[in-house]
């Protein structure tokens, strides 16, 4: 079997097989929250996939799916009137809304998200958020008495997509192969860091866009690139958003 055929098979094996089930659950959660907060029976609006699934770099066997649901600004005005931890109250409120649909499923708040744990091991982490003028989001953090924090996932998603396009698919495939490596050897790297470093590596890799035949070199050269990073460096700036990761 040739090198390119082996890597085609490898990448194909990393494809997520249960996308229809993921979509069904995502739409049910979105529909419930749209009914509750926007008075609209709709299963797609005001919601989006984020995290590795949203960036298109998740692989088969992943268990945590991140999604953001945009709430009306009036909800934040109401929550800000709380004398105590309004962020915790908001997460509990979202939990109660989702339980109207998933009444027999384990649903709980977890500091910054509402976690919906399904019996097959899949876990949805729902981030209730308010959209800012620059298309970033403000979301609740119930820790340490409660506060608001900012996240900016859209530039990360668009940067992965644009880099994948100009590298003829190398970007997403490298990110996915490195996730398989991370899982196999329990490497202490988060998915966003993998994607960020893969993006930086590919910008200057001379063999990008040349296809599967060069994927043994791509894997070798990327692992070498990782080994050469400063061991004292405590954070990187995420691709697209420049958030600390």
């Amino acid at each position: 079997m040739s090198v390119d055929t082996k890597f085609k098979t490898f990448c194909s094996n990393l494809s997520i097989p249960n996308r229809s089930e993921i979509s069904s659950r995502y739409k049910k959660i979105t529909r419930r929250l749209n009914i509750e907060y926007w008075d609209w029976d709709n299963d797609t609006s005001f919601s989006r996939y984020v995290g590795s699934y949203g960036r298109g770099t998740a692989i088969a066997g992943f268990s945590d799916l991140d999604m953001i649901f945009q709430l009306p600004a009036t909800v934040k005005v109401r929550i800000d009137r709380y004398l105590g931890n309004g962020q915790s109250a908001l997460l509990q409120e979202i939990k109660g809304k989702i339980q109207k649909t998933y009444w027999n499923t384990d649903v709980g708040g977890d500091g910054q998200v509402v976690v919906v744990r399904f019996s097959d091991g899949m876990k949805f982490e729902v981030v209730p958020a308010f959209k800012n003028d620059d298309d970033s989001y403000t979301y609740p953090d119930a820790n340490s008495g409660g506060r608001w924090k900012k996240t900016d996932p859209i530039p990360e998603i668009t940067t992965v997509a644009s880099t994948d396009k100009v590298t003829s698919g190398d970007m997403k495939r490298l990110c996915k192969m490195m996730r398989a490596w991370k899982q196999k050897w329990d490497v202490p790297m988060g998915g966003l860091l993998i994607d960020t470093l893969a993006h930086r590596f590919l910008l200057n890799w001379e063999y990008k866009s040349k296809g599967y035949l060069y994927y043994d070199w791509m894997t070798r050269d990327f692992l070498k690139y990782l080994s050469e990073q400063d061991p004292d460096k405590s954070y990187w700036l995420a691709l697209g958003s420049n958030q600390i990761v």
Side-chain angles (χ1 to χ4, degrees):
M1 186 181 293
S2 64
V3 168
D4 59 338
T5 300
K6 288 180 179 179
F7 276 98
K8 283 180 183 178
T9 301
F10 179 28
C11 291
S12 176
N13 289 342
L14 298 178
S15 299
I16 297 169
N18 57 334
R19 289 184 180 274
S20 60
E21 183 64 31
I22 291 171
S23 176
S24 175
R25 291 168 173 174
Y26 169 84
K27 288 182 176 180
K28 286 179 180 179
I29 292 171
T30 299
R31 177 176 180 270
R32 169 50 58 190
L33 295 178
N34 268 319
I35 289 172
E36 296 291 336
Y37 287 101
W38 295 98
D39 194 26
W40 190 18
D41 191 345
N42 180 286
D43 62 7
T44 56
S45 296
F46 298 109
S47 188
R48 71 179 305 138
Y49 295 112
V50 291
S52 61
Y53 194 81
R55 294 191 299 274
T57 55
I59 63 174
F62 88 107
S63 59
D64 296 359
L65 187 139
D66 303 311
M67 61 179 285
I68 279 182
F69 183 81
Q70 180 188 340
L71 295 167
T74 52
V75 175
K76 187 172 184 297
V77 173
R78 171 169 59 83
I79 294 299
D80 280 338
R81 294 195 184 108
Y82 276 66
L83 296 178
N85 191 330
Q87 290 78 11
S88 177
L90 177 58
L91 292 174
Q92 291 303 311
E93 180 178 297
I94 297 292
K95 170 188 171 182
K97 304 298 188 186
I98 294 175
Q99 284 180 318
K100 290 184 179 182
T101 293
Y102 285 112
W103 55 271
N104 199 31
T105 301
D106 181 9
V107 182
D110 189 21
Q112 301 174 347
V113 298
V114 175
V115 183
V116 186
R117 294 181 175 86
F118 294 94
S119 58
D120 60 1
M122 177 62 68
K123 181 172 67 175
F124 274 58
E125 295 191 351
V126 184
V127 182
F130 305 94
K131 200 164 190 178
N132 301 317
D133 291 339
D134 62 358
D135 287 338
S136 65
Y137 292 90
T138 295
Y139 67 97
D141 180 359
N143 298 307
S144 303
R147 57 184 172 172
W148 298 109
K149 298 182 76 173
K150 179 181 175 181
T151 186
D152 197 15
I154 297 176
E156 297 164 0
I157 293 169
T158 56
T159 298
V160 169
S162 62
T163 306
D164 194 61
K165 184 176 181 179
V166 300
T167 60
S168 303
D170 290 351
M171 174 65 183
K172 290 184 179 179
R173 293 189 197 114
L174 177 58
C175 293
K176 290 177 180 180
M177 290 191 293
M178 289 303 102
R179 276 172 172 74
W181 166 73
K182 161 189 162 66
Q183 289 184 9
K184 173 68 176 178
W185 301 108
D186 197 24
V187 181
M189 289 177 65
L192 183 55
L193 180 56
I194 289 176
D195 296 354
T196 295
L197 293 176
H199 172 254
R200 292 188 175 200
F201 164 78
L202 283 172
L203 289 178
N204 298 307
W205 191 56
E206 60 182 314
Y207 301 110
K208 59 179 174 285
S209 304
K210 290 186 177 294
Y212 290 98
L213 186 60
Y214 286 79
Y215 276 23
D216 53 347
W217 288 11
M218 182 168 71
T219 305
R220 176 200 64 187
D221 293 348
F222 182 64
L223 290 173
K224 182 174 184 291
Y225 173 79
L226 292 185
S227 75
E228 293 170 343
Q229 298 305 302
D230 181 357
D232 296 323
K233 188 176 179 67
S234 59
Y235 68 88
W236 281 259
L237 298 179
L239 75 170
S241 69
N242 285 328
Q243 297 183 107
I244 290 176
V245 57

